[in-house]
């Protein structure tokens, strides 16, 4: 058994039959905060938002920190304010709450001038720990209430295995919380739609899971799906294999029954992200699919993909290749362009760079530097995101021959990015295909129970 105290919250007992270290349990809670942050824009109930405000504040703080990553020392207070706005942090909260807690957690250092305004900031994001570990430190300092801790544990437990409601609540209680607190935490997780419940006729009870359950690596998706009955296996296996082998494959390439694909997206068997543009009066969009198994390597990454930055980068580059009109600036060789950005730290100059990458710039992945005459360079900021994006491009497109590393120009500028959480919320439930995926979740529950003796964080 491992004991640790989380700020002002409960003294939490972590069940540890699988030899999970304190760091491992802290990483799971840190990741749960970031999962919740991605869900936050979809939480419309003001009472719920008020009740979990500590967790939302921790998530906002670390989203801001992730945008700052790669800038090192920032002397422009306006740049920090604009990044804060993109993270949903107003200026008063930035100065009074967010910057102080990030400093206390050793994520940033900063000074204020005599007027109490920001003078300069230095970021250590990913330096004093990866983003997940730093998120836990921020959470620890903020001291969430026990009900908020119960929500995080509910998210974390449901992302490891589908359990019956009774088992799920028992696992929360085993972490040192009261039964009423566990009930409240589960209720919050369902209210914010991060956890889901399905009925099991066999068990005569609801089963609780969340879409991140497929990304733990506890059960390998392909081998698991091959053991399903033929109708379910055939419907799902090909979809998941394409998403795994070719990150950023288009929805059209996945093919198959559209209702089954939608259900696979709904429950997280595949993740989908959509880029939209309305340039020149045309409404263009493209949806790309990814495997949830990205998460299995997340603890080694400096910036967790719970923030979807790699998906955002890859979708921008692929959208420029697939949707821009020929003769008007289509990206002909995305691999060569991204490689040049990595090797030289910049591409350009070109006119369209000044207008086409505002979403990537808002997340701090790249920076646009104007050179005059309407032209601009695209500057590398987050090397880890772009480097992984190059790996994904190679996996998706194959090792295409190097061509002229022309600067990327998008005739149809991406204006909207729909991340997987919003994608799931927009999909309707189809009864027939929903039954196929639900049965897969229930089978996963059985498989996870067999695996639990070896590597899960649950006690028996």
């Amino acid at each position: 058994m491992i004991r640790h105290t989380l700020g002002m919250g409960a003294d939490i007992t972590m069940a540890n039959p699988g030899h999970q270290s304190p760091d491992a349990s802290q990483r799971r809670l840190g990741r749960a905060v970031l999962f919740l942050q991605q869900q936050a824009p979809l939480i419309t109930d003001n009472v719920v938002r008020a009740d979990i405000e500590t967790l939302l504040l921790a998530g906002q703080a670390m989203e801001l920190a992730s945008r700052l990553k790669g800038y090192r020392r920032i002397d422009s207070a306006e740049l920090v304010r604009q990044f804060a706005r993109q993270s949903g942090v107003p200026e008063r909260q930035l100065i009074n709450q967010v910057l102080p807690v990030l400093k206390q957690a050793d994520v940033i250092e900063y000074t204020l001038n005599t007027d109490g305004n920001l003078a300069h900031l230095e970021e250590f994001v990913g330096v004093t720990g990866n983003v997940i570990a730093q998120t836990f430190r921020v959470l620890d300092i903020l001291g969430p209430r026990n009900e908020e801790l119960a929500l995080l544990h509910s998210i974390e437990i449901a992302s490891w295995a589908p359990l019956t409601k009774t088992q799920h609540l028992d696992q929360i209680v085993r972490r040192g919380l009261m039964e009423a607190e566990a009930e409240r935490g589960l209720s919050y997780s369902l209210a914010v739609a991060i956890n889901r419940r399905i009925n099991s006729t066999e068990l005569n009870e609801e089963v609780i899971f969340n879409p991140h359950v497929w990304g733990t690596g506890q059960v390998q998706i392909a081998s698991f799906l091959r053991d399903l009955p033929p109708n379910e296996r055939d419907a799902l296996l090909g979809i998941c294999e394409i998403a795994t082998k070719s990150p950023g494959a288009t929805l059209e390439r996945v093919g198959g029954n559209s209702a089954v694909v939608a259900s696979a997206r709904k429950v997280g068997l595949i993740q989908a992200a959509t880029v939209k543009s309305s340039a020149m009066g045309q409404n263009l969009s493209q949806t790309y699919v990814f495997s949830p198994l990205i998460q299995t390597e997340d603890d080694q990454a400096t910036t967790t993909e719970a923030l979807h930055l790699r998906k955002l980068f890859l979708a921008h580059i692929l959208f420029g290749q697939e949707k821009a009109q020929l003769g008007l600036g289509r990206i002909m060789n995305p691999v060569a362009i991204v490689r040049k950005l990595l090797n030289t730290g910049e591409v350009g100059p070109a006119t369209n760079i000044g207008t086409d990458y505002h979403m990537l710039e808002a997340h701090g992945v790249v920076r646009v530097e104007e050179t005059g005459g309407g032209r601009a360079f695209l500057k590398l900021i987050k090397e880890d995101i772009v480097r992984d994006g190059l790996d994904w491009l190679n996996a998706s497109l194959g090792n295409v021959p190097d061509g002229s590393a022309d600067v990327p120009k998008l005739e149809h500028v991406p204006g909207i990015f729909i991340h997987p959480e919003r994608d799931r919320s927009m999909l309707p439930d189809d009864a027939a295909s929903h039954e196929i995926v639900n049965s897969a979740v229930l089978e996963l529950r059985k498989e996870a129970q067999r695996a639990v003796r070896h590597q899960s964080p649950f006690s028996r």
Side-chain angles (χ1 to χ4, degrees):
M1 308 292 283
I2 296 175
R3 301 185 69 83
H4 69 271
T5 302
L6 181 60
M8 300 295 291
D11 187 29
I12 302 171
T13 301
M14 297 296 294
N16 194 39
H19 306 291
Q20 296 285 327
S21 68
D23 286 346
S25 60
Q26 291 173 10
R27 285 195 300 268
R28 291 198 303 272
L29 288 179
R31 188 181 286 109
V33 171
L34 297 176
F35 286 162
L36 182 62
Q37 174 63 13
Q38 299 308 304
Q39 199 74 18
L42 309 177
I43 305 172
T44 57
D45 189 312
N46 287 334
V47 174
V48 172
R49 293 190 70 90
D51 285 352
I52 63 172
E53 60 93 15
T54 305
L55 305 184
L56 296 178
L57 178 60
Q60 283 181 310
M62 284 310 300
E63 182 174 318
L64 169 60
S66 77
R67 293 175 190 261
L68 297 173
K69 180 182 178 298
Y71 276 86
R72 298 180 183 145
R73 181 184 172 95
I74 302 175
D75 293 317
S76 169
E78 182 60 25
L79 178 63
V80 177
R81 279 195 293 268
Q82 291 303 321
F83 276 137
R85 290 181 64 212
Q86 295 292 332
S87 303
V89 178
E91 186 169 2
R92 183 172 298 178
Q93 187 182 49
L94 173 69
I95 298 298
N96 294 336
Q97 288 184 291
V98 171
L99 293 184
V101 75
L102 288 175
K103 179 176 181 176
Q104 191 175 349
D106 201 23
V107 178
I108 64 166
E109 182 60 70
Y110 71 97
T111 59
L112 301 178
N113 59 28
T114 55
D115 296 326
N117 297 317
L118 183 65
H120 84 273
L121 180 147
E122 190 171 359
E123 58 86 13
F124 313 123
V125 186
V127 176
T128 60
N130 65 21
V131 169
I132 291 175
Q134 291 177 328
T135 301
F136 180 85
R137 294 210 301 266
V138 168
L139 178 70
D140 194 16
I141 291 167
L142 287 173
R145 298 177 303 109
N146 285 359
E147 290 84 358
E148 292 175 297
L149 287 178
L151 167 57
L152 288 185
H153 283 304
S154 181
I155 295 169
E156 173 246 331
I157 291 164
S159 71
W160 267 87
L163 298 176
T164 65
K165 181 179 178 180
T166 300
Q167 293 169 326
H168 184 92
L169 290 171
D170 178 63
Q171 286 296 325
I172 300 176
V173 170
R174 291 188 187 200
R175 283 148 172 79
L177 296 161
M178 303 296 292
E179 290 184 8
E181 294 165 346
E183 289 270 7
R184 182 61 63 89
L186 174 58
S187 296
Y188 285 142
S189 78
L190 296 171
V192 302
I194 194 168
N195 282 353
R196 302 191 66 191
R197 52 188 168 188
I198 57 176
N199 288 313
S200 170
T201 305
E202 178 184 350
L203 298 170
N204 194 30
E205 192 174 356
E206 291 177 334
V207 171
I208 307 297
F209 79 102
N210 81 36
H212 300 288
V213 68
W214 306 100
T216 62
Q218 183 175 207
V219 174
Q220 292 301 312
I221 293 176
S223 58
F224 165 73
L225 291 177
R226 287 191 187 98
D227 292 334
L228 290 177
N231 62 320
E232 296 153 8
R233 177 191 64 211
D234 294 343
L236 297 172
L237 181 58
I239 297 169
C240 295
E241 285 187 332
I242 290 175
T244 300
K245 294 177 181 177
S246 301
T250 64
L251 201 57
E252 291 80 3
R253 181 178 171 187
V254 169
N257 184 300
S258 60
V260 174
V261 174
S263 287
R265 291 157 65 185
K266 188 83 172 177
V267 298
L269 258 171
I270 58 174
Q271 297 179 346
T274 300
V275 173
K276 292 186 175 182
S277 171
S278 58
M280 298 181 66
Q282 298 187 58
N283 291 315
L284 298 174
S285 68
Q286 185 69 283
T287 298
Y288 305 96
V289 297
F290 301 87
S291 169
L293 290 174
I294 293 166
Q295 183 180 309
T296 60
E297 301 176 358
D298 216 30
D299 286 343
Q300 284 70 50
T302 302
T303 306
T304 170
E305 190 50 22
L307 297 169
H308 304 310
L309 296 183
R310 293 163 182 83
K311 298 182 189 73
L312 178 70
F313 176 76
L314 186 64
H316 263 72
I317 299 301
L318 291 176
F319 190 83
Q321 181 195 35
E322 296 158 2
K323 290 297 183 180
Q325 295 180 17
L326 282 171
L328 295 175
R330 177 177 292 185
I331 296 177
M332 302 304 295
N333 193 332
V335 172
I337 286 170
V338 175
R339 186 173 290 133
K340 181 178 181 182
L341 182 61
L342 275 171
N343 290 341
T344 67
E346 64 180 26
V347 292
T351 302
N352 287 359
I353 285 178
T355 58
D356 295 356
Y357 296 91
H358 56 277
M359 278 193 291
L360 286 178
E361 201 174 10
H363 285 83
V365 178
V366 296
R367 177 171 58 86
V368 173
E369 185 177 289
E370 296 183 356
T371 61
R375 293 162 67 81
F377 280 94
L378 194 67
K379 300 280 188 174
L380 175 67
I381 298 296
K382 289 182 173 43
E383 181 179 352
D384 59 330
I385 301 301
V386 176
R387 188 172 300 281
D388 290 345
L390 178 60
D391 290 341
W392 287 12
L393 272 173
N394 280 318
S396 182
L397 302 177
N399 292 311
V400 298
D402 281 343
S404 173
D406 293 333
V407 292
K409 302 177 184 179
L410 305 183
E411 179 64 24
H412 300 289
V413 180
I416 298 173
F417 179 71
I418 299 174
H419 54 70
E421 287 79 9
R422 185 173 293 277
D423 177 71
R424 285 194 288 267
S425 73
M426 295 164 59
L427 293 171
D429 290 320
D430 177 87
S433 58
H434 193 56
E435 181 62 30
I436 293 175
V437 181
N438 278 5
S439 65
V441 171
L442 295 176
E443 285 297 322
L444 177 64
R445 175 186 172 275
K446 297 177 184 177
E447 183 67 24
Q449 286 191 322
R450 287 191 286 270
V452 78
R453 302 182 187 94
H454 306 292
Q455 64 185 81
S456 95
F458 304 124
S459 62
R460 302 298 294 159

